[in-house]
Structure formats: structure tokens, C-alpha cells
Amino acid sequence: MPKEKRVDPLTSEERGQYIKRFIDTYKDPKWDWSKYDIHHVVPIQYGGDHSFDNLFPLPRDIHQQVVTPW
């Protein structure tokens, strides 16, 4: 997807909105959210967006070392 058509990365406000919706939907897992990244299932560079269904919380170490190590 050309850069000019991609959405920008999540802002801290959007991250907070996602976390609130996650908790409202699935209940509060009592996680330390500062240790979690919000992963895009379909990456932004491939046309993914910030819709709730395209986002998934992952522990930062797993996200950065296993899922997207580059």
C-alpha cells in the first residue's frame, strides 16, 4: 500500500480508547498495559486500519522479538 494511503500509527489517545474498549468487551484482565503493544493483525503497510477487530494486545517482548522482530 502506498505510504500516502496508509493510516498513521496509533496515537496515545487511540491506544487508550482501544484499551478501554478491550476492557469493556472482555472485562479487565488486570494487565500492566505499559508492558503491552497493540498489534495490527493486518499491518498498516498492507492496508490495515485501527478498527477494533484489526488490533490485538501482545506482551511487548513477544511482539518485538517473535511477531515483528525486524
Side-chain angles (χ1 to χ4, degrees):
M1 165 126 347
K3 283 189 176 188
E4 64 274 4
K5 292 189 177 185
R6 297 179 196 171
V7 297
D8 291 328
L10 280 176
T11 64
S12 59
E13 182 179 340
E14 290 169 320
R15 176 183 166 83
Q17 290 169 351
Y18 171 80
I19 291 169
K20 181 183 182 322
R21 183 162 176 200
F22 184 92
I23 290 169
D24 289 346
T25 302
Y26 301 112
K27 307 294 181 222
D28 190 350
K30 308 289 187 210
W31 294 339
D32 177 355
W33 285 94
S34 68
K35 296 180 180 178
Y36 280 75
D37 287 340
I38 309 301
H39 173 72
H40 288 80
V41 177
V42 177
I44 293 170
Q45 64 264 32
Y46 296 117
D49 58 20
H50 301 326
S51 63
F52 186 76
D53 294 335
N54 191 47
L55 300 173
F56 193 83
L58 286 173
R60 182 161 291 125
D61 58 338
I62 292 173
H63 187 230
Q64 294 179 357
Q65 295 172 19
V66 178
V67 178
T68 54
W70 50 88

